[in-house]
Amino acid sequence: MSWLATIGRFAGFCFDLARANALRRPPPGRTMEEAYRIGVQSLPVLLLISVFVGTNLSLQGYAAFTPLGGQRLVGMFVALAGVRELAPIIAATMVAAKAGTEMASQIAVMRTREQVDALEVMAINPLWWLVTPRFLAIVLVMPALTVVAIFTTIASSWLVATAQLGLNGTEFLDFVRTSIDAKDLVACELKGMLFGVVICLVSCFCGFTSTKGPEGVGQATNSAVVIASVSCVTLNFLLSQVLYG
Amino acid sequence: METLARIGRFGLFGAAVARRVFTPPWNARDFFRHTWLVSTRCMGPVVAVTFPFGMVIGLQGLQIFDLFGAQRMLPSLISVAVLRELSPMLASVLVAAQGGSSFAAELGAMRIKEELDATEVMAVDSLRWHVVPRVLALMLATPVLNVMGTVAGLLGGFVMAVPIQGEPGGVFLANLWAFTVPFDLAVGVVKTVVFGLLIGLVACFHGYYATGGAAGVGKSVNDTVVHAVLLFFAANYLLTSAMFSP
C-alpha cells in the first residue's frame, strides 16, 4: 500500500507548491537561468535522437508500405506518426532523461547536504525557491523543444527517403504538408507543455522525498526518470484520444 | 578533448569486461540475482508504456486507413510498428531508465563509499565480481522484457481497434496472424540483445568511474540514461538499415 501513500504525498506536494506560489511572484531572475539550463542542455541530445527517429520512420514506413505498392505514402506516414505522436513524446522523454534527472539529483543532493533545511531556516520557502523557477522554465521551453523535434524528424526522414530509399523528395514533402495542419501543431504544443508540467512535478517530488546519502540521490534520480516517462506516455494516450479520437 | 578521452576509456572498459566474460571464474549467483531484479523491476514500467503506445498506434493508424477504406490493414501496421520498432525501443528506454540507472547508482555508491576499493584490496577483481554479472544480466533481461512489451503493445492495439473503435475482432486477429512473421520477432530480440549490452556497458562505466560524492552519483545516473539512449538510438538506425534496406 506504500504506493498509495506516495500518491497522496504527491498530491500534498502539488498542493503545497500551489500554496507557496499563491499571491506571490516567482523568484526574480532564476527562471531564465533554469530555462537556459533545461533548454540548451537538452537540445543536443534531443537533436540526435530526433534525427534517428526520423530515419527509422522512413525505413519502417517504406518496409511497411512497399508490399502494398504504396511507397509514396511514406511521407504521410512520417507526418502522422512523427509529428502527431512521436515528436512530443520524444521531446518529453529526452527532457525527462536529461533535465528531469538533473532536477531530481540536484534537489536530492541539496537535501543530503541539508541545504533545503538551510533555506527554511532563512525563512525562504524551498518549494517556491527551488521548484517554481524550474516549473515556469520547463513550461516555457517544452513547446520550443517540441517544434525542434518535429522539424528535425521530418528533415532527417526526408533525407533518408531521398538519399537512401530513392523516393521523390517533392512528393514526400507534399504528402507531409497535406497530412498535417495547424491544429496538429497546436495539439503538439499543448502536449509538450503538459508533459513539461508532469516531468517537473514528478522530478522535483522525487528529489524532495529522497533519503539522504549517495544511494538516496541515485534512487531519487532513477525513480524520477521512470515515473516521469511512464506518466508522460500514459498522458499522451489520453490526450491523443481527446484530441484526435 | 575530454570527450575523446572518455570514449577511449569506455573502449578500454568494454574490452576489459569482454575479456572477463569469456574467462572463468564466473559469478553466476549475482548474474541470476541481477537478472531477476532487473526483469521484475522493469516489467511494470515496460508494460505500462507499450500498452498505451499500442493503443495510440491503433488510434492514429485507423485514421490513415480510414482514408482508403482499408481498416482491415490496421493489424499489419500495428504488428510491424510494435514488433520491429516500438517495443524494442520503448523496452530499452525503460530498461535504461530503470535498470541501467539503478546499476549506475549502485556501483556509484559503492565507488563513493570505497567499497570497490575494499573489494580490490581483498584481491577480488571488482570488474569480474560486480560489473560482468550486471552487463550480462541486462543482455538477458532486455530481450525478455521486449517480448513482454510486444505482447502488451499488440494487446493495446487490439483493445483500441476492437472494443473501442468497433472493428470486427476476427478480421483483426486473422490479419494480425497473416502479416506477422517470426522474422519480425527475431528482429526485436536481436536488437534488444545489442541494446541491453550497450545499456549495461554504459551504466557500469558511469557507475564504476563515479567521482565527487553524492552529487557525482546523481551525475553518473543522469549521464547513464542520456548516453545509453543516444547510443542505442544510433545503433537502432544501423540495425534497421542492415535488416530492412532494399
Side-chain angles (χ1 to χ4, degrees), chain B:
Chain B
M1 294 310 282
E2 181 56 29
T3 324
L4 271 181
R6 264 173 109 183
I7 294 173
R9 265 206 302 279
F10 180 67
L12 289 177
F13 180 80
V17 171
R19 207 169 50 237
R20 285 165 176 80
V21 170
F22 294 110
T23 51
W26 291 287
N27 182 357
R29 208 172 50 113
D30 271 2
F31 166 67
F32 289 119
R33 190 168 59 91
H34 287 310
T35 311
W36 175 248
L37 271 179
V38 166
S39 314
T40 47
R41 270 191 208 155
C42 297
M43 205 158 58
V46 167
V47 171
V49 163
T50 45
F51 186 78
F53 236 104
M55 295 180 84
V56 168
I57 300 176
L59 180 70
Q60 299 284 7
L62 264 181
Q63 297 207 337
I64 301 189
F65 288 120
D66 264 344
L67 297 177
F68 310 105
Q71 289 91 336
R72 58 188 186 78
M73 297 302 296
L74 180 67
S76 74
L77 176 72
I78 293 181
S79 83
V80 164
V82 169
L83 282 157
R84 291 185 187 165
E85 287 293 324
L86 275 174
S87 173
M89 294 317 284
L90 290 172
S92 309
V93 169
L94 267 297
V95 168
Q98 175 74 284
S101 68
S102 77
F103 282 172
E106 278 168 26
L107 282 173
M110 285 165 87
R111 169 64 75 195
I112 300 303
K113 290 184 175 167
E114 304 184 345
E115 288 172 23
L116 287 178
D117 302 298
T119 325
E120 294 278 349
V121 166
M122 293 187 284
V124 174
D125 187 348
S126 61
L127 276 178
R128 189 186 292 286
W129 199 251
H130 295 302
V131 172
V132 172
R134 286 184 166 86
V135 174
L136 291 181
L138 279 183
M139 263 178 90
L140 179 65
T142 319
V144 174
L145 290 163
N146 167 48
V147 173
M148 285 182 195
T150 305
V151 173
L154 292 179
L155 206 64
F158 180 82
V159 167
M160 187 73 223
V162 180
I164 299 184
Q165 300 279 357
E167 298 292 320
V171 177
F172 185 96
L173 287 180
N175 275 318
L176 187 62
W177 300 136
F179 285 107
T180 311
V181 286
F183 176 67
D184 287 335
L185 192 62
V187 167
V189 171
V190 169
K191 276 185 176 178
T192 41
V193 170
V194 176
F195 299 164
L197 172 67
L198 289 174
I199 296 168
L201 282 178
V202 171
C204 293
F205 175 72
H206 281 301
Y208 196 77
Y209 291 113
T211 48
V217 176
K219 188 171 177 327
S220 71
V221 174
N222 186 337
D223 284 349
T224 297
V225 182
V226 174
H227 292 167
V229 171
L230 269 183
L231 254 182
F232 71 67
F233 265 75
N236 184 37
Y237 170 57
L238 299 178
L239 286 172
T240 307
S241 275
M243 288 189 270
F244 295 114
S245 235

Side-chain angles (χ1 to χ4, degrees), chain A residues 13-31:
Chain A
F13 173 82
C14 296
F15 180 72
D16 282 346
L17 180 64
R19 207 177 47 184
N21 284 291
L23 307 176
R24 193 139 53 134
R25 287 185 188 201
R30 300 260 336 270
T31 304

Side-chain angles (χ1 to χ4, degrees), chain A residues 22-169:
Chain A
L23 307 176
R24 193 139 53 134
R25 287 185 188 201
R30 300 260 336 270
T31 304
M32 292 321 276
E33 199 183 301
E34 292 291 340
Y36 175 81
R37 210 201 313 238
I38 295 168
V40 176
Q41 288 191 350
S42 308
L43 197 57
V45 191
L46 180 65
L47 281 177
L48 270 170
I49 297 285
S50 332
V51 165
F52 288 117
V53 168
T55 57
N56 274 40
L57 271 178
S58 264
L59 286 179
Q60 292 294 2
Y62 188 81
F65 287 118
T66 305
L68 317 174
Q71 294 95 324
R72 302 184 306 122
L73 295 179
V74 173
M76 183 177 175
F77 177 68
V78 167
L80 287 181
V83 174
R84 278 189 180 177
E85 295 300 332
L86 284 174
I89 201 75
I90 291 291
T93 322
M94 283 308 107
V95 169
K98 180 84 198 166
T101 52
E102 200 169 79
M103 284 179 201
S105 73
Q106 275 170 350
I107 295 179
V109 166
M110 294 184 76
R111 179 119 236 150
T112 302
R113 294 189 185 146
E114 304 186 342
Q115 289 166 339
V116 176
D117 304 311
L119 277 177
E120 278 207 72
V121 168
M122 293 189 285
I124 296 172
N125 187 327
L127 289 178
W128 175 73
W129 182 253
L130 294 174
V131 182
T132 310
R134 291 180 166 86
F135 185 88
L136 292 176
I138 206 167
V139 170
L140 201 65
V141 157
M142 272 301 290
L145 288 177
T146 311
V147 171
V148 171
I150 291 174
F151 176 77
T152 322
T153 308
I154 292 182
S156 67
S157 56
W158 177 82
L159 203 66
V160 167
T162 51
Q164 191 178 344
L165 303 171
L167 299 175
N168 184 338

